[in-house]
Amino acid sequence: MRSETPASKKTGAELLESSPFMRACLRQSVERTPIWIMRQAGRFMPEYRSIREKVSFIELCENSELAAEVTVMAVEKLGVDAAIIFSDILLPLKALGAGLEYARGDGPFIHHPVRSPEDVKRLRNFEVAEELAHVFKAVTLARKSLPADIPLIGFAGAPFTLASYLIEGGSSRNFERTKAFMYSHRQSWDELMQLLSVITSSHLNAQIEAGAQAVQLFDSWVGCLGQDDYTEYVLPHSARVIAAVTDAVPVIHFGTGTAALLELMQQAGGDVIGVDWRIELSEAWKRLNYATAVQGNLDPCVLFADKDEIERRVKRILKHAGGRPGHIFNLGHGVLPQTPFENVKFLVDVVRELGHHG
């Protein structure tokens, strides 16, 4: 049996392999439950707001040095167990020629939405390595600045969610345009999804090459679909993306409103399945036959409550996880902009305190 290397003498690779986050991704035993938070570098942080007073959101995303800085800053300020690169899932849509704009206070807006088969054909094919080079440079810079034992997560938007933004032209409540296009133009839908699948897998793999140790596939809007539609119109494309990700790098497959789709998402692939707050963690994991790790699943709105309530909810989720190897504590979606910073920090601290495994 190989003897344990003292922590002070471990290489960077050994430190990463022994990190609670990486071990949990692979359902290996950990001394305590790891935690990181979606949108952990965001508007709830005073330091982030200070930077945003000087640059727009898109300028921050495209400035590799600043993106790396806020990535590392979140780890330093919160004490989380993993970093996630500061970027945005919609950046590839700008390179496609869709006319992406981030309007202040109104979220993303697509100036040239896809509304017909002809619009799909007009999308600009592009070299991911060139058009998104600023993302990969930010990954490399962040990796160099992070502590050796803190993994860096890369990410990309899943084909369905990217397609929905393209077709809707922005946010949507019912996804009427997306579903109508999907049902009415099957060949063009498949062409669009195949194009986005190639872009997404290339995006993820380039981040891994640049220094990311894990990746997350965000299918934030796929919860609007029923099981049959997911199986027919989405699953093959998500599966293609995940299958193309570089071997030996954990993949987190995340969506919201997906309680009805968990088994299908597991079928599409991923080492970790994201679970939101609309289903108990224990029920979700049981339905997945404990065959993958799970991530989640605190309601982000709980962070507006007092600390006693936050601690009560943390205890409940940890109880549902039951100390089983493979649980990564997170919110069920991203931290909300007006969340008190001290409550986010308290969440991290209380998970680290209560999440020890006997």
Side-chain angles (χ1 to χ4, degrees):
M1 181 180 292
R2 186 168 64 91
S3 60
E4 286 294 318
T5 306
S8 60
K9 295 184 178 181
K10 285 185 177 180
T11 65
E14 289 172 328
L15 286 168
L16 284 169
E17 287 177 5
S18 62
S19 81
F21 169 81
M22 295 297 288
R23 290 185 63 84
C25 283
L26 303 175
R27 289 183 290 140
Q28 297 173 348
S29 61
V30 291
E31 292 183 356
R32 61 174 178 82
T33 301
I35 178 172
W36 71 278
I37 301 170
M38 285 178 277
R39 295 198 202 117
Q40 62 190 22
R43 281 177 284 175
F44 72 97
M45 295 186 67
E47 296 84 357
Y48 174 87
R49 292 198 300 271
S50 177
I51 291 172
R52 279 296 312 279
E53 288 175 359
K54 303 168 187 172
V55 297
S56 68
F57 177 74
I58 189 67
E59 287 172 330
L60 178 51
C61 286
E62 293 181 342
N63 185 314
S64 301
E65 288 76 14
L66 281 180
E69 179 183 334
V70 297
T71 298
V72 176
M73 179 176 65
V75 173
E76 294 174 344
K77 297 295 182 181
L78 293 173
V80 289
D81 292 301
I84 185 166
I85 193 64
F86 184 88
S87 186
D88 191 77
I89 65 170
L90 300 186
L91 294 183
L93 304 190
K94 181 181 179 183
L96 278 171
L100 174 66
E101 178 187 355
Y102 294 88
R104 183 174 291 274
D106 294 325
F109 180 77
I110 305 296
H111 286 282
H112 310 299
V114 169
R115 298 288 164 76
S116 69
E118 291 72 29
D119 291 335
V120 174
K121 296 185 183 303
R122 279 198 291 268
L123 291 173
R124 172 178 169 261
N125 210 342
F126 67 92
E127 288 294 329
V128 170
E130 296 176 6
E131 296 291 341
L132 298 176
H134 53 87
V135 175
F136 313 134
K137 181 180 178 182
V139 169
T140 299
L141 291 173
R143 180 62 272 164
K144 289 179 179 177
S145 298
L146 285 166
D149 61 344
I150 297 294
L152 176 59
I153 305 167
F155 70 89
F160 176 81
T161 293
L162 295 182
S164 298
Y165 270 105
L166 275 174
I167 295 169
E168 299 292 337
S171 296
S172 177
R173 192 176 290 269
N174 298 309
F175 301 92
E176 301 98 323
R177 289 190 173 106
T178 301
K179 293 183 180 183
F181 189 97
M182 190 172 72
Y183 300 146
S184 303
H185 305 291
R186 178 58 187 271
Q187 182 176 343
S188 294
W189 173 261
D190 284 342
E191 289 175 4
L192 176 60
M193 292 290 278
Q194 288 164 12
L195 171 63
L196 295 173
S197 296
V198 171
I199 290 169
T200 299
S201 57
S202 298
H203 190 188
L204 292 173
N205 283 332
Q207 290 176 78
I208 293 168
E209 187 176 349
Q213 284 79 41
V215 292
Q216 177 157 311
L217 185 67
F218 280 87
D219 215 348
S220 308
W221 284 2
V222 79
C224 73
L225 296 180
Q227 294 175 346
D228 287 347
D229 282 346
Y230 181 89
T231 300
E232 182 173 355
Y233 296 102
V234 177
L235 194 155
H237 304 287
S238 294
R240 186 182 303 113
V241 170
I242 293 170
V245 172
T246 302
D247 287 345
V249 175
V251 177
I252 305 167
H253 192 176
F254 168 80
T256 59
T258 52
L261 304 177
L262 291 174
E263 294 91 342
L264 294 172
M265 291 177 68
Q266 182 183 47
Q267 184 179 333
D271 302 281
V272 186
I273 300 297
V275 180
D276 74 11
W277 63 95
R278 298 171 180 90
I279 182 173
E280 296 288 10
L281 190 79
S282 55
E283 180 187 344
W285 213 351
K286 183 178 181 180
R287 281 173 47 190
L288 296 170
N289 292 317
Y290 309 107
T292 54
V294 291
Q295 178 176 281
N297 63 333
L298 185 70
D299 184 340
C301 289
V302 170
L303 293 178
F304 290 95
D306 60 38
K307 292 181 179 179
D308 286 343
E309 180 64 12
I310 294 171
E311 182 171 341
R312 187 181 76 83
R313 297 294 188 108
V314 167
K315 288 178 178 177
R316 181 177 176 181
I317 290 171
L318 292 173
K319 182 179 179 180
H320 277 281
R324 186 184 298 272
H327 175 222
I328 300 164
F329 203 106
N330 207 316
L331 304 181
H333 202 190
V335 60
L336 297 168
Q338 302 306 316
T339 305
F341 172 82
E342 59 271 19
N343 285 5
V344 182
K345 182 68 172 88
F346 176 77
L347 170 67
V348 176
D349 291 343
V350 79
V351 171
R352 292 178 69 101
E353 177 186 346
L354 300 178
H356 280 272
H357 301 173

mmCIF file of all heavy atoms in Angstrom, residues 279-297:
data_model
loop_
_atom_site.group_PDB
_atom_site.id
_atom_site.type_symbol
_atom_site.label_atom_id
_atom_site.label_comp_id
_atom_site.label_asym_id
_atom_site.label_seq_id
_atom_site.Cartn_x
_atom_site.Cartn_y
_atom_site.Cartn_z
ATOM 1 N N ILE A 279 -36.966 19.525 -5.033
ATOM 2 C CA ILE A 279 -37.048 18.114 -4.672
ATOM 3 C C ILE A 279 -36.062 17.867 -3.532
ATOM 4 O O ILE A 279 -35.000 18.494 -3.477
ATOM 5 C CB ILE A 279 -36.723 17.206 -5.885
ATOM 6 C CG1 ILE A 279 -36.861 15.726 -5.513
ATOM 7 C CG2 ILE A 279 -35.342 17.502 -6.450
ATOM 8 C CD1 ILE A 279 -36.717 14.786 -6.710
ATOM 9 N N GLU A 280 -36.443 17.009 -2.595
ATOM 10 C CA GLU A 280 -35.524 16.683 -1.503
ATOM 11 C C GLU A 280 -34.296 15.968 -2.054
ATOM 12 O O GLU A 280 -34.398 15.115 -2.947
ATOM 13 C CB GLU A 280 -36.211 15.798 -0.470
ATOM 14 C CG GLU A 280 -37.392 16.453 0.244
ATOM 15 C CD GLU A 280 -36.971 17.525 1.229
ATOM 16 O OE1 GLU A 280 -35.790 17.909 1.248
ATOM 17 O OE2 GLU A 280 -37.846 17.997 1.987
ATOM 18 N N LEU A 281 -33.133 16.293 -1.505
ATOM 19 C CA LEU A 281 -31.888 15.706 -1.985
ATOM 20 C C LEU A 281 -31.909 14.189 -1.877
ATOM 21 O O LEU A 281 -31.462 13.479 -2.783
ATOM 22 C CB LEU A 281 -30.708 16.278 -1.194
ATOM 23 C CG LEU A 281 -29.333 15.915 -1.756
ATOM 24 C CD1 LEU A 281 -29.001 16.800 -2.943
ATOM 25 C CD2 LEU A 281 -28.259 16.090 -0.679
ATOM 26 N N SER A 282 -32.447 13.685 -0.764
ATOM 27 C CA SER A 282 -32.468 12.234 -0.558
ATOM 28 C C SER A 282 -33.320 11.530 -1.609
ATOM 29 O O SER A 282 -32.956 10.463 -2.119
ATOM 30 C CB SER A 282 -32.978 11.905 0.839
ATOM 31 O OG SER A 282 -34.243 12.498 1.063
ATOM 32 N N GLU A 283 -34.448 12.134 -1.960
ATOM 33 C CA GLU A 283 -35.307 11.537 -2.979
ATOM 34 C C GLU A 283 -34.624 11.548 -4.339
ATOM 35 O O GLU A 283 -34.665 10.553 -5.081
ATOM 36 C CB GLU A 283 -36.634 12.290 -3.066
ATOM 37 C CG GLU A 283 -37.587 11.726 -4.118
ATOM 38 C CD GLU A 283 -38.823 12.576 -4.310
ATOM 39 O OE1 GLU A 283 -39.107 13.432 -3.451
ATOM 40 O OE2 GLU A 283 -39.509 12.392 -5.336
ATOM 41 N N ALA A 284 -34.002 12.675 -4.677
ATOM 42 C CA ALA A 284 -33.320 12.779 -5.969
ATOM 43 C C ALA A 284 -32.213 11.740 -6.081
ATOM 44 O O ALA A 284 -32.083 11.045 -7.101
ATOM 45 C CB ALA A 284 -32.753 14.182 -6.143
ATOM 46 N N TRP A 285 -31.416 11.621 -5.032
ATOM 47 C CA TRP A 285 -30.273 10.701 -5.076
ATOM 48 C C TRP A 285 -30.740 9.253 -5.169
ATOM 49 O O TRP A 285 -30.163 8.444 -5.884
ATOM 50 C CB TRP A 285 -29.403 10.914 -3.854
ATOM 51 C CG TRP A 285 -27.937 10.695 -4.093
ATOM 52 C CD1 TRP A 285 -27.351 10.167 -5.206
ATOM 53 C CD2 TRP A 285 -26.875 11.007 -3.199
ATOM 54 N NE1 TRP A 285 -25.990 10.133 -5.063
ATOM 55 C CE2 TRP A 285 -25.666 10.642 -3.840
ATOM 56 C CE3 TRP A 285 -26.825 11.548 -1.921
ATOM 57 C CZ2 TRP A 285 -24.422 10.814 -3.231
ATOM 58 C CZ3 TRP A 285 -25.590 11.727 -1.331
ATOM 59 C CH2 TRP A 285 -24.396 11.355 -1.964
ATOM 60 N N LYS A 286 -31.800 8.946 -4.450
ATOM 61 C CA LYS A 286 -32.348 7.588 -4.512
ATOM 62 C C LYS A 286 -32.825 7.267 -5.922
ATOM 63 O O LYS A 286 -32.598 6.163 -6.431
ATOM 64 C CB LYS A 286 -33.490 7.440 -3.510
ATOM 65 C CG LYS A 286 -34.083 6.037 -3.449
ATOM 66 C CD LYS A 286 -35.181 5.947 -2.393
ATOM 67 C CE LYS A 286 -35.771 4.539 -2.310
ATOM 68 N NZ LYS A 286 -36.849 4.468 -1.282
ATOM 69 N N ARG A 287 -33.493 8.228 -6.564
ATOM 70 C CA ARG A 287 -33.961 8.013 -7.934
ATOM 71 C C ARG A 287 -32.801 7.812 -8.896
ATOM 72 O O ARG A 287 -32.941 7.128 -9.924
ATOM 73 C CB ARG A 287 -34.823 9.198 -8.378
ATOM 74 C CG ARG A 287 -36.249 9.135 -7.836
ATOM 75 C CD ARG A 287 -37.017 10.397 -8.145
ATOM 76 N NE ARG A 287 -36.874 10.825 -9.531
ATOM 77 C CZ ARG A 287 -37.287 11.994 -9.992
ATOM 78 N NH1 ARG A 287 -37.872 12.860 -9.171
ATOM 79 N NH2 ARG A 287 -37.129 12.303 -11.262
ATOM 80 N N LEU A 288 -31.656 8.378 -8.577
ATOM 81 C CA LEU A 288 -30.469 8.204 -9.408
ATOM 82 C C LEU A 288 -29.704 6.931 -9.044
ATOM 83 O O LEU A 288 -28.626 6.688 -9.590
ATOM 84 C CB LEU A 288 -29.556 9.421 -9.261
ATOM 85 C CG LEU A 288 -30.136 10.759 -9.760
ATOM 86 C CD1 LEU A 288 -29.239 11.922 -9.349
ATOM 87 C CD2 LEU A 288 -30.332 10.749 -11.271
ATOM 88 N N ASN A 289 -30.283 6.138 -8.125
ATOM 89 C CA ASN A 289 -29.675 4.876 -7.692
ATOM 90 C C ASN A 289 -28.271 5.063 -7.118
ATOM 91 O O ASN A 289 -27.459 4.137 -7.143
ATOM 92 C CB ASN A 289 -29.636 3.867 -8.848
ATOM 93 C CG ASN A 289 -31.020 3.411 -9.244
ATOM 94 O OD1 ASN A 289 -31.866 3.141 -8.399
ATOM 95 N ND2 ASN A 289 -31.275 3.346 -10.549
ATOM 96 N N TYR A 290 -27.990 6.280 -6.629
ATOM 97 C CA TYR A 290 -26.696 6.597 -6.027
ATOM 98 C C TYR A 290 -25.536 6.314 -6.982
ATOM 99 O O TYR A 290 -24.399 6.106 -6.545
ATOM 100 C CB TYR A 290 -26.501 5.835 -4.713
ATOM 101 C CG TYR A 290 -27.666 5.996 -3.763
ATOM 102 C CD1 TYR A 290 -28.555 4.942 -3.543
ATOM 103 C CD2 TYR A 290 -27.898 7.193 -3.110
ATOM 104 C CE1 TYR A 290 -29.639 5.100 -2.680
ATOM 105 C CE2 TYR A 290 -28.977 7.357 -2.254
ATOM 106 C CZ TYR A 290 -29.845 6.297 -2.048
ATOM 107 O OH TYR A 290 -30.921 6.450 -1.195
ATOM 108 N N ALA A 291 -25.822 6.301 -8.283
ATOM 109 C CA ALA A 291 -24.812 5.940 -9.278
ATOM 110 C C ALA A 291 -23.994 7.136 -9.752
ATOM 111 O O ALA A 291 -23.022 6.966 -10.494
ATOM 112 C CB ALA A 291 -25.485 5.269 -10.478
ATOM 113 N N THR A 292 -24.401 8.346 -9.357
ATOM 114 C CA THR A 292 -23.628 9.546 -9.634
ATOM 115 C C THR A 292 -23.568 10.371 -8.352
ATOM 116 O O THR A 292 -24.360 10.172 -7.435
ATOM 117 C CB THR A 292 -24.277 10.411 -10.736
ATOM 118 O OG1 THR A 292 -25.632 10.686 -10.361
ATOM 119 C CG2 THR A 292 -24.250 9.724 -12.087
ATOM 120 N N ALA A 293 -22.627 11.291 -8.318
ATOM 121 C CA ALA A 293 -22.608 12.263 -7.233
ATOM 122 C C ALA A 293 -23.738 13.269 -7.462
ATOM 123 O O ALA A 293 -24.307 13.353 -8.553
ATOM 124 C CB ALA A 293 -21.252 12.961 -7.192
ATOM 125 N N VAL A 294 -24.078 14.015 -6.422
ATOM 126 C CA VAL A 294 -25.118 15.035 -6.540
ATOM 127 C C VAL A 294 -24.602 16.357 -5.981
ATOM 128 O O VAL A 294 -23.761 16.378 -5.075
ATOM 129 C CB VAL A 294 -26.424 14.639 -5.812
ATOM 130 C CG1 VAL A 294 -27.112 13.486 -6.523
ATOM 131 C CG2 VAL A 294 -26.163 14.310 -4.347
ATOM 132 N N GLN A 295 -25.130 17.436 -6.526
ATOM 133 C CA GLN A 295 -24.752 18.779 -6.091
ATOM 134 C C GLN A 295 -26.010 19.569 -5.753
ATOM 135 O O GLN A 295 -26.971 19.580 -6.510
ATOM 136 C CB GLN A 295 -23.984 19.483 -7.206
ATOM 137 C CG GLN A 295 -23.573 20.914 -6.871
ATOM 138 C CD GLN A 295 -22.735 21.526 -7.965
ATOM 139 O OE1 GLN A 295 -21.539 21.244 -8.053
ATOM 140 N NE2 GLN A 295 -23.336 22.353 -8.815
ATOM 141 N N GLY A 296 -25.987 20.221 -4.603
ATOM 142 C CA GLY A 296 -27.136 21.051 -4.222
ATOM 143 C C GLY A 296 -27.369 20.983 -2.722
ATOM 144 O O GLY A 296 -26.538 20.499 -1.972
ATOM 145 N N ASN A 297 -28.571 21.406 -2.263
ATOM 146 C CA ASN A 297 -29.616 21.957 -3.125
ATOM 147 C C ASN A 297 -30.408 23.021 -2.355
ATOM 148 O O ASN A 297 -31.621 23.021 -2.324
ATOM 149 C CB ASN A 297 -30.546 20.865 -3.653
ATOM 150 C CG ASN A 297 -31.328 20.152 -2.559
ATOM 151 O OD1 ASN A 297 -30.887 20.075 -1.398
ATOM 152 N ND2 ASN A 297 -32.482 19.636 -2.908
#
